[in-house]
Amino acid sequence: MGICEICHTEAEAFDKTKILGKYLIQYFSCPNCGFIQTEEPYWLDEAYSDAIVDSDIGLIGRNIALSKRVAAILSVCLPHCKTFLDYGGGYGMFVRLMRDVGFDFEWFDKYCDNLFAKQFVKEKEHYDLVTAFELFEHLPNPAEEIGKIISLGDNILFSTVLVPNPPPKVSDWWYYAPHGGQHISFYTESALKHLAKSFERHYVGYRDIHLFSKQPISLRKFSFVIRFASLINRFRRRESLLSADYKMITGMDL
């Protein structure tokens, strides 16, 4: 048995599998909030010998798609937000894409090299919005780590794929990704709502995009913006920061 990292209910043994192809480990499921977690992840140092696993071949396409959705969400749902941090920002691709469409994003990542946004690393103590994409499923102690993110920003916009209902066994759902060893926490909507409430935030989510916000935002509005992001962005364009960033880096006009 284990204790649920979200609601502290006694979790139940759920399934076993080999992780990284060699360690037989136990998964636990919470009967209260539905959160699924692995046993204590002693293999993480090995799993993060490369910050980005080789099987993540969708990384570029995901960043491009996310940049379009996030631009629309910020324009319509969170227009008051002016400062942004991408937490767990990987190679910095998302930060660069967002700056290209006019949003003042900075980068932070404990594990990955910043290749595309080297001049825009975290400088502020607090931000209007923190993004955290494909991060929550990597957290061994979600409440503790999300608390750190909350301390950095009023709102958190993040992505993670919710556990289907009924919850599938490890062999039947790709998102467990035991071959990479980095996915160790899996959320239901109930688990995310519990987390939001514990941090005095409002929750709204549509498909794999979720928001913990200071002010409530309707699901109808949030889902509409995500579904029609490309159309919204045609009419809500900002001035790109590309030229200003180039001048800052080189001292020359673009």
Side-chain angles (χ1 to χ4, degrees):
M1 292 288 186
I3 300 299
C4 175
E5 292 286 347
I6 305 299
C7 69
H8 309 297
T9 302
E10 190 170 348
E12 302 170 345
F14 173 69
D15 199 6
K16 289 184 177 181
T17 198
K18 279 190 176 181
I19 211 156
L20 293 174
K22 54 184 174 181
Y23 305 117
L24 182 63
I25 63 105
Q26 179 74 59
Y27 289 74
F28 295 90
S29 175
C30 177
N32 181 43
C33 72
F35 179 67
I36 295 175
Q37 64 198 66
T38 68
E39 64 180 78
E40 188 68 27
Y42 57 83
W43 58 87
L44 288 185
D45 285 346
E46 186 174 346
Y48 284 99
S49 58
D50 289 316
I52 308 295
V53 298
D54 291 343
S55 62
D56 191 5
I57 56 177
L59 184 146
I60 293 175
R62 185 170 66 247
N63 276 275
I64 293 171
L66 278 170
S67 68
K68 294 176 181 178
R69 292 171 185 163
V70 173
I73 291 169
L74 296 182
S75 294
V76 176
C77 299
L78 298 161
H80 59 283
C81 292
K82 306 300 180 186
T83 58
F84 312 95
L85 177 70
D86 190 30
Y87 191 98
Y91 295 137
M93 186 180 303
F94 178 77
V95 169
R96 186 63 263 165
L97 287 167
M98 293 307 295
R99 295 188 70 85
D100 285 355
V101 293
F103 295 91
D104 186 16
F105 265 81
E106 295 177 0
W107 172 99
F108 174 81
D109 197 305
K110 292 187 289 188
Y111 299 102
C112 199
D113 291 333
N114 183 354
L115 302 180
F116 297 101
K118 292 180 180 179
Q119 293 78 18
F120 306 103
V121 298
K122 179 184 178 299
E123 290 186 352
K124 303 175 184 66
E125 293 299 318
H126 196 79
Y127 297 81
D128 295 330
L129 177 93
V130 179
T131 54
F133 296 120
E134 296 304 300
L135 174 70
F136 277 38
E137 60 276 7
H138 294 255
L139 303 178
N141 302 297
E144 179 182 338
E145 190 69 21
I146 294 165
K148 294 177 183 177
I149 301 173
I150 285 282
S151 72
L152 294 172
D154 292 336
N155 308 282
I156 302 179
L157 184 64
F158 61 98
S159 67
T160 196
V161 180
L162 296 182
V163 176
N165 187 22
K169 294 296 186 179
V170 177
S171 60
D172 296 329
W173 190 36
W174 67 275
Y175 204 63
Y176 289 117
H179 54 277
Q182 295 182 3
H183 285 200
I184 56 177
S185 295
F186 309 91
Y187 305 81
T188 60
E189 184 176 288
S190 176
L192 292 179
K193 286 180 176 178
H194 185 95
L195 277 169
K197 186 176 181 180
S198 70
F199 292 114
E200 299 181 337
R201 296 296 191 273
H202 299 273
Y203 169 79
V204 66
Y206 179 70
R207 295 180 179 172
D208 59 344
I209 306 295
H210 315 274
L211 176 66
F212 291 172
S213 60
K214 280 246 179 175
Q215 301 299 323
I217 294 169
S218 73
L219 175 59
R220 178 178 293 183
K221 183 176 185 179
F222 192 72
S223 61
F224 177 87
V225 169
I226 291 173
R227 286 184 288 121
F228 296 99
S230 295
L231 179 63
I232 290 168
N233 289 332
R234 292 183 189 178
F235 300 98
R236 295 291 188 106
R237 291 182 180 178
R238 294 190 177 202
E239 183 179 354
S240 173
L241 297 177
L242 186 65
S243 295
D245 289 351
Y246 184 81
K247 187 169 185 176
M248 185 272 287
I249 295 167
T250 67
M252 301 172 62
D253 290 322
L254 186 62

